[in-house]
Amino acid sequence: MLSDRTNTKLVGLRKCVENGNKANDLYKIMMTCEDLWIQAYINIQGNKGALTKSVDDSTVDGFSDEAAKSLIMELQSDMFRFKPTRRIYIPKKNGKERPLGIPRFKDKIVQEVCRMLLETIYETKFSENSHGFRPKKSCHTALEEIKTWNGTTWLLDFDIKGYFDNINHEIMIKILEKEIDDRRFLKLIREMLKCGYLENWKYYNTYSGTPQGGVISPILANIYLNELDKFIEHIQFNRGKCRTANPEYQKIAGKRGSINRAIKSRREWIRIGGKYTGGKPNTFKELNSTEIQLEINSLIKEHKCLDIEIHNTPSKLYDDPNFKRMHYVRYADDFIIGMIGTKHDAEIIQGKIKDFLKNELNLETSEEKTGIKHARKEGTTFLNYIIQKTSNVRNKKKMLYGRTIKQRNGGVAIKLGVPMERVKVFSKKYGNIETSKSIHRPEWLNKTELELVNDYNAEFRGFANYYVLADDVKLKLHKLEWMVTTSWLKTVSNKLKITVTQVAKKYKSNTDFTVKSGNINRTFFKLKHLKSPKVKELLDIIPYVGHTKTQLEDRINANVCEYCGKIGGYYEVHHIRKLKDISEAKQDWQRCMMEKQRKTLVLCIECHHNLHNGKLADKRHLQKEKV
């Protein structure tokens, strides 16, 4: 948790920018606020790649207050230099590979401190249409926004070609200079961008792009494309307050109203027995009650026909040239635009955006992933969701003046769908979804039944929770749910050497499967447990992420070795990847971590050095030495 002094400085930075001034003294804040470095360590120490070795074999393991102070001294004396990242390649869904750089841990800490300062400055400047890599923003907030685009006619898909690799460094610095007036801080960012990378121990310069794999890359990418956000939001396209009423709809509504009045007057004549009061003429004196009732029945049939016709006729002109709208959402380098207008309008907007990206930001769009789609007939895919306007007209019911009436959907609402291609790819680990044949997981046979439930739940729940906003999530995933369940049953069956039926009977609890181990009960996840998320808007801007104090921070500040009990001196934090890596607990320090269920252990310098050399003494020997 940051001190009041540091918080005051960060709030001052934010207010300075909000008042239209440039932020300064960022480098000075880095030098004078030591708790900022501890917070940076707390933020990134739990990341997946924290224990991945860089070019100098450094990892998060061994961080301490002294390491943070040493970094500050290097920066103060201008001795700090970013090292080249170690480049590796990770597979993409389309079969290609994505380059990823692994910076040394010292560089990650510096990047994280810079990121915190940049977030303080820019979070209030970012567009509300930007949802990627931001606090309280996510894929779900972007998709929730798209669901409000009712009446959209055209969907414009954009994808920037090799975005993170093609960010122009000079343009990046110029954008930063608009809000920041700190020469040393900007120099640090420039050096970070140009540090290069090593591949097969051969050095390569980086002339463009941000350090992929670095913690600062996402916010730099958002700062760069914030210029695009501002450009799109200032395009003068919207026109008119509402669509013009459809004359055909009004004609049908008028005719239906006349028939309603005619039916009402004839029923009134029958009710009063053919005698009118109040000077009203007796218009039906030539007819008897039977003939009038036949006429009423004929009018009711005509009214029902008009009901069907009016429900299939739009109340507004959807091609109204005097009503136009444009909506915009961006997540990282993927963005989509929804438009109410003509296709020619969509082509003009698409051309303007392409020209801006090329001329102002030196970026090109991917032709294969960029295009204009009809919202109802084609739809598109965004963030692995199908985005499409409803093509059917369904009646909904609502309360009006204390009574229930039918309300038309009109076929204008945007609905979200689950792509079956994604379901097929995900289901491969459980079997063949097309032939409905599930398989067991032989690589998991060494796990306990409780671990199997947890692992299956983690996979399936994560996939289902991502698609929870889709209108057809339960329809598209019901078969996958069956495959996951039967795969789990077969895996347990292979492990226990009993039949699948016996496994089902053993763990059946009402309509669910439940595994009990001691005081722990784990229920197998099913789609009926799926709940729609409460996606909240960003109500208040915070200057940094990681507000609350953590247990690790308390343990570091305690100045006590958690193994030998030494008080005072220098301490380092020992890290492991997963607790199951030390589940056998052969050594005393491993048993210590297992008992506390922690992946970190705060140790004095001596204990940490001995641990890595395999010479860490048993606690009993340490206690004897103290005596």
Side-chain angles (χ1 to χ4, degrees), residues 22 51 79 109 120 192 276 308 327 338 340 380 390 405 442 456 460 513 519 542 546 548 591-592 623:
K22 289 187 178 183
L51 284 168
M79 296 296 291
I109 290 287
T120 302
M192 188 187 303
Y276 278 81
I308 295 172
H327 308 284
I340 298 174
T380 188
T390 52
I405 64 170
Y456 269 95
F460 184 46
F513 292 111
N519 296 326
I542 54 176
T548 57
R591 286 191 289 272
C592 182
Q623 290 170 357

Side-chain angles (χ1 to χ4, degrees), residues 80 107 347 458 620:
F80 179 83
D107 295 349
E347 290 170 348
R620 291 170 295 179

Side-chain angles (χ1 to χ4, degrees), residues 208-227:
S208 64
T210 59
Q212 288 198 52
V215 293
I216 199 172
S217 294
I219 193 165
L220 288 179
N222 271 339
I223 291 170
Y224 200 79
L225 281 185
N226 191 50
E227 301 298 306

Side-chain angles (χ1 to χ4, degrees), residues 27 75 77-82 114 173 176-177 180-195:
Y27 204 82
L75 288 164
S77 58
D78 286 331
M79 296 296 291
F80 179 83
R81 294 293 181 271
F82 286 97
C114 293
I173 297 299
L176 290 172
E177 286 175 344
I180 298 171
D181 183 17
D182 190 322
R183 181 182 57 81
R184 296 184 76 185
F185 182 82
L186 292 175
K187 181 186 175 185
L188 190 66
I189 297 294
R190 189 188 294 272
E191 290 174 353
M192 188 187 303
L193 294 171
K194 295 183 176 294
C195 66

Side-chain angles (χ1 to χ4, degrees), residues 526-539:
K526 290 189 175 181
L527 289 174
K528 66 181 181 179
H529 303 142
L530 198 62
K531 296 180 180 179
S532 297
K534 296 179 180 179
V535 181
K536 297 180 180 179
E537 295 181 357
L538 186 61
L539 300 177

Side-chain angles (χ1 to χ4, degrees), residues 423-435:
V423 179
K424 289 177 182 178
V425 171
F426 182 77
S427 66
K428 287 182 180 179
K429 62 185 77 173
Y430 307 111
N432 190 329
I433 197 169
E434 294 179 345
T435 59

